[in-house]
Amino acid sequence: MENKKVTLVGAGLVGSLLSIYLAKRGYKIDLFERRPDMRKANISAGRSINLALSDRGWKGLEGVGIADEIKKIAIPMYARAIHHKDGTTVHQPYGKDNQAIYSVSRAEINMRLMDLAEQQKNVKIHFNERCTSINRKNMEAEFENTETNSTTKIKSDLLFGSDGAFASSRLNMQLSNDRFEYNQHYISAGYKELIIPPGPNGEFLLEKNALHIWPRGSFMMIALPNMDGNFTCTLFFPFEGEKSFASLQTREQVQKFFEEEFPDAVPLMPTLLDDYMNNPVASLVTVKCFPWTFDNKIGLIGDAAHAIVPFFGQGMNCGFEDCVVLNDLIEKHKEDWSEIFPEYESLRKPDGDAIADLAIANFVEMRDKTADPKFILQKKIEARFNSKYPDKWIPLYSMVTYSPQIRYSTALKEGQKQEAIMQKIMAITDIENKWDSEEVEKAMLNSIK
Amino acid sequence: MENKKVTLVGAGLVGSLLSIYLAKRGYKIDLFERRPDMRKANISAGRSINLALSDRGWKGLEGVGIADEIKKIAIPMYARAIHHKDGTTVHQPYGKDNQAIYSVSRAEINMRLMDLAEQQKNVKIHFNERCTSINRKNMEAEFENTETNSTTKIKSDLLFGSDGAFASSRLNMQLSNDRFEYNQHYISAGYKELIIPPGPNGEFLLEKNALHIWPRGSFMMIALPNMDGNFTCTLFFPFEGEKSFASLQTREQVQKFFEEEFPDAVPLMPTLLDDYMNNPVASLVTVKCFPWTFDNKIGLIGDAAHAIVPFFGQGMNCGFEDCVVLNDLIEKHKEDWSEIFPEYESLRKPDGDAIADLAIANFVEMRDKTADPKFILQKKIEARFNSKYPDKWIPLYSMVTYSPQIRYSTALKEGQKQEAIMQKIMAITDIENKWDSEEVEKAMLNSIK
């Protein structure tokens, strides 16, 4: 087992972490990455939505002892800071006490993970290597070097596709595997990245320890803090329609729109117009597929198996959790991949589907409901009930974010039950004034029986 | 317009027919086909489920004046012949009076359509030409000859992908088009082809003018007549499970299974065991995607745009109807493709989705409900009501099969309403004895108000 060879396609977040897990078990890993080495080339990881690390992600990092290393580049966010159109800001805590999600730059964490992977003597990362084919019969993968155009063929005992939402490894399976279930769906909104730079002395110009949201119904802007005092802003905006990327074409239109919609942000965005005109619009895809494993020798993991939209902040966390699940199964089945792979995909697929659906639903929550007093009241009632009966009610957001012991699929089902109960509770006459009454508490206790 | 060049990828049923439509309008067509010329090579069209031509298909053929030519190779089927496990057979008429669907061999009709296409002086078919890429910028398609490996590049003003369920033209768009919606889904059953040969004097050994079904709940066999006295039999069977392709492995198991399930057919199938052991198992895919057109220059049509399962006998019919719709839009918009393509895809997509869903639902009807006395009674009530009130009630099957003036999407919606009404009607106490009573008739009249 010591010398079992593994090919990993994709040295993104999940590929890099998986290589560390496998290296610690004695596998010999060749990790192929399409892009140049971003640690040398100063090239972005392709997308730079800041990421929010939460408990499932931390658990994945702790599993190989690197959580502390990553914590150094992570900024805790304890609350949503909701920016209303009138310029006022309201805080909505993300959980109890010190519960937080952690802002990390995608590029930063990826570079650290590559460093940590290379510290394993049995991991080698090959850059500028594009996967062009995977021969399932002889387990030979072919890579083309994007600089030299030379071709490398490599055989291995196992192969993992960790090459993201548009995985060439998965495409290879789509084309070679009979009865491959495949679904790619785009939401009608895209995103554009903008920036709020630090103040003159490098200080944060918005509250540092919060995830900032400007919810505007059919669209929103968010901002997450970076270590250097910047905030990465992201405008999530419909492609078409009255207020959309299509309708904002000139600098004047952009200026007017931002002043109207995000009046408190505009003074903090000196390069707004240039950024808006120059930065690309990216689309947001959900990918569902099955199977995730092939011939008990090839597996898909992370976005390659289940790409999701970013609105629950769970893409990376889910991918890291994949590594934990896989590692537990390697342990359980004593390296017998004919047992590991079938259980991996049957166990994990419902969770991938669940977080995909939860992420879509959370877009509506973030862009629309966070500004709705009724919704805020509902969350207050749930939080109050949770603090009195923590074993009877864990809010959906907390199940997903702070409760790695609860599966995504369980969280989805529980969340649906909770929502049905809360609709009845919110329909109680005069709920605004008696939300913290014994009557409401009793009604909830009765509902969950 | 006379010399506008068109590249068609795929000379199957829809590609061949489309080439005739476009040729008659003066376009110059190069039609590229991956397979050899089946008229010379005696090679099957890849799949040989017999096809059932119905009114939408006939309309497509009539549009270019070739229906009579095709009628020569078509056998009308006026009813379903249901073969029960006890050996008895029951007829279920497909419609009123002379309404029929027509059995044609896929290879036969394809060869005729190719002949008819080549009779157009401005159609040229190129065989053994596999589409390897489509360059959208300069409208150049690349083909590789499967015999010589030589490469042909061809530029054109328009390009149509009519290359079926696994279209390389569509894959090209999936990979090159941002926000391409794509879904491929396989049902859990596959199929295997078997045969009932003619009798000693070339006679049909089952009733010629019927579509034969052996419905068995979770699976079924069907048989369609061929011109030469053969019946093509198809076993639709789960891949896995107690009764499945996976569970029937030995000749003894197959023999026992067929004797138990299809006792009246076994004596007519002298090569059953050899055929079962030698013939492949094929899978059944539904493909939904969007858009169907690109840059107002490239279009997908037929299975390339909307592959469906065969249980409503509408795959070919829907593809031929695509040609009619497209031809009408060419007329309407006077060859302006910037008008034609957007209307083609927005008009036709809901119909493609609808027949895909209807086809899936009809599998359950065919394999299960056709043997259910309650279902048969329901159909009798509907038929009776339809004959008394033909403008108030057209059964779903008839809407889809005999009513090309009704869109698939309308048929689906109407069918759902009808089903809701019929569930109430079938719940009437003692419906078995008063199904043709005035009470039931009035109840139906009230329901549809």
Side-chain angles (χ1 to χ4, degrees), chain B residues 344-383:
Chain B
Y344 163 67
E345 64 180 9
S346 65
L347 182 69
R348 196 65 183 148
K349 168 69 174 166
D351 293 327
D353 286 349
I355 191 60
D357 296 344
L358 285 165
I360 293 269
N362 220 43
F363 185 29
V364 180
E365 176 165 329
M366 285 181 82
R367 76 179 186 204
D368 197 359
K369 292 196 192 154
T370 54
D372 174 0
K374 266 248 159 179
F375 172 81
I376 295 162
L377 178 63
Q378 178 178 331
K379 294 293 131 179
K380 254 163 75 177
I381 298 171
E382 288 188 57

Side-chain angles (χ1 to χ4, degrees), chain B residues 140-356:
Chain B
E140 185 173 76
E142 191 179 285
F143 297 88
E144 188 183 87
N145 190 289
T146 55
E147 295 196 317
T148 64
N149 291 327
S150 67
T151 295
T152 306
K153 289 184 180 180
I154 184 161
K155 286 193 184 188
S156 57
D157 304 299
L158 298 169
L159 181 146
F160 285 92
S162 51
D163 43 347
F166 301 98
S168 65
S169 63
R170 187 189 58 230
L171 177 64
N172 213 282
M173 298 303 125
Q174 184 195 327
L175 298 177
S176 71
N177 202 70
D178 187 33
R179 291 196 281 151
F180 187 63
E181 293 287 306
Y182 182 68
N183 186 19
Q184 65 182 41
H185 167 66
Y186 289 85
I187 61 170
S188 56
Y191 69 88
K192 188 189 278 280
E193 211 167 281
L194 303 165
I195 193 167
I196 292 178
N201 303 313
E203 74 273 25
F204 289 89
L205 291 183
L206 294 172
E207 187 199 325
K208 176 182 175 184
N209 294 109
L211 190 154
H212 298 266
I213 310 180
W214 290 257
R216 295 295 180 267
S218 66
F219 60 94
M220 69 173 172
M221 185 166 74
I222 65 169
L224 277 79
N226 288 307
M227 299 294 286
D228 57 7
N230 282 293
F231 283 88
T232 303
C233 302
T234 312
L235 174 66
F236 294 97
F237 206 29
F239 283 100
E240 312 285 340
E242 196 201 327
K243 293 183 179 181
S244 71
F245 284 119
S247 73
L248 286 197
Q249 292 290 347
T250 68
R251 296 174 78 93
E252 292 68 35
Q253 286 169 334
V254 174
Q255 182 75 31
K256 184 160 172 285
F257 172 80
F258 272 76
E259 278 173 1
E260 223 169 270
E261 298 290 346
F262 315 119
D264 60 334
V266 172
L268 311 179
M269 303 174 84
T271 56
L272 168 63
L273 294 181
D274 285 340
D275 293 344
Y276 190 95
M277 300 311 281
N278 297 333
N279 290 353
V281 175
S283 52
L284 294 159
V285 73
T286 300
V287 174
K288 293 180 178 176
C289 68
F290 201 80
W292 290 1
T293 73
F294 310 87
D295 316 325
N296 290 333
K297 290 181 177 168
I298 297 173
L300 301 177
I301 194 163
D303 282 2
H306 47 67
I308 65 179
V309 294
F311 305 107
F312 223 121
Q314 287 295 312
M316 169 180 60
N317 291 292
C318 178
F320 287 1
E321 190 172 68
D322 287 347
C323 295
V324 175
V325 169
L326 193 67
N327 188 54
D328 289 349
L329 292 172
I330 298 174
E331 189 68 33
K332 175 178 171 187
H333 295 299
K334 301 188 176 61
E335 321 267 332
D336 181 350
W337 290 89
S338 70
E339 298 280 338
I340 296 163
F341 271 141
E343 190 169 343
Y344 163 67
E345 64 180 9
S346 65
L347 182 69
R348 196 65 183 148
K349 168 69 174 166
D351 293 327
D353 286 349
I355 191 60

Side-chain angles (χ1 to χ4, degrees), chain A residues 16-260:
Chain A
S16 299
L17 181 62
L18 178 61
S19 76
I20 302 173
Y21 269 99
L22 294 175
K24 284 186 182 287
R25 292 193 161 273
Y27 290 88
K28 186 182 171 306
I29 294 109
D30 282 290
L31 180 47
F32 291 85
E33 170 55 45
R34 186 176 49 79
R35 293 169 304 216
D37 188 345
M38 63 172 88
R39 293 165 301 181
K40 296 170 187 163
N42 194 23
I43 273 173
S44 94
R47 291 171 292 172
S48 55
I49 291 185
N50 273 43
L51 302 169
L53 252 171
S54 54
D55 285 23
R56 291 172 205 269
W58 287 120
K59 189 177 168 189
L61 296 168
E62 277 157 14
V64 285
I66 60 174
D68 289 341
E69 195 59 36
I70 300 301
K71 209 149 230 169
K72 294 177 191 162
I73 55 165
I75 300 174
M77 302 181 287
Y78 300 100
R80 288 170 172 165
I82 305 296
H83 296 249
H84 291 293
K85 230 172 146 169
D86 63 7
T88 58
T89 307
V90 174
H91 271 225
Q92 296 173 3
Y94 266 128
K96 293 185 291 191
D97 312 323
N98 260 336
Q99 283 182 328
I101 56 177
Y102 290 77
S103 175
V104 286
S105 139
R106 185 186 185 86
E108 277 293 331
I109 184 171
N110 205 343
M111 292 191 284
R112 293 292 169 104
L113 285 172
M114 284 176 180
D115 286 343
L116 293 163
E118 285 181 337
Q119 284 172 18
Q120 305 292 322
K121 69 177 190 312
N122 41 349
V123 174
K124 171 127 185 60
I125 311 183
H126 310 263
F127 291 98
N128 302 304
E129 295 286 348
R130 189 173 68 87
C131 180
T132 50
S133 72
I134 297 167
N135 183 330
R136 288 168 59 173
K137 278 205 183 127
N138 63 4
M139 284 297 287
E140 187 173 76
E142 192 179 285
F143 296 89
E144 189 183 88
N145 190 288
T146 55
E147 295 196 317
T148 64
N149 290 327
S150 66
T151 294
T152 305
K153 289 185 180 178
I154 184 160
K155 286 195 185 186
S156 56
D157 304 299
L158 298 169
L159 182 147
F160 285 92
S162 51
D163 43 346
F166 301 99
S168 66
S169 62
R170 188 188 58 230
L171 177 64
N172 213 281
M173 299 303 124
Q174 186 195 325
L175 299 177
S176 72
N177 202 69
D178 187 34
R179 292 196 281 151
F180 188 62
E181 294 288 306
Y182 182 68
N183 187 19
Q184 66 182 42
H185 167 67
Y186 290 84
I187 61 169
S188 56
Y191 69 89
K192 188 188 279 279
E193 209 166 284
L194 302 165
I195 193 167
I196 293 179
N201 303 311
E203 73 274 24
F204 289 89
L205 291 183
L206 294 172
E207 188 200 326
K208 175 183 175 184
N209 294 110
L211 191 155
H212 298 265
I213 310 180
W214 291 257
R216 294 298 180 264
S218 66
F219 60 94
M220 67 173 173
M221 184 165 75
I222 65 171
L224 278 79
N226 287 307
M227 298 294 286
D228 57 4
N230 282 293
F231 284 87
T232 303
C233 302
T234 313
L235 174 66
F236 294 97
F237 206 29
F239 282 99
E240 311 285 339
E242 197 201 327
K243 294 183 179 179
S244 71
F245 284 119
S247 73
L248 285 198
Q249 293 290 346
T250 67
R251 296 175 78 93
E252 291 68 32
Q253 287 169 333
V254 174
Q255 182 76 30
K256 183 159 172 284
F257 172 79
F258 272 76
E259 278 172 0
E260 225 171 86

Side-chain angles (χ1 to χ4, degrees), chain A residues 420-434:
Chain A
I421 291 171
M422 289 312 295
Q423 281 191 11
K424 281 186 211 151
I425 299 294
M426 295 307 290
I428 292 173
T429 314
D430 206 24
I431 184 71
E432 288 81 359
N433 293 317
K434 55 182 169 191

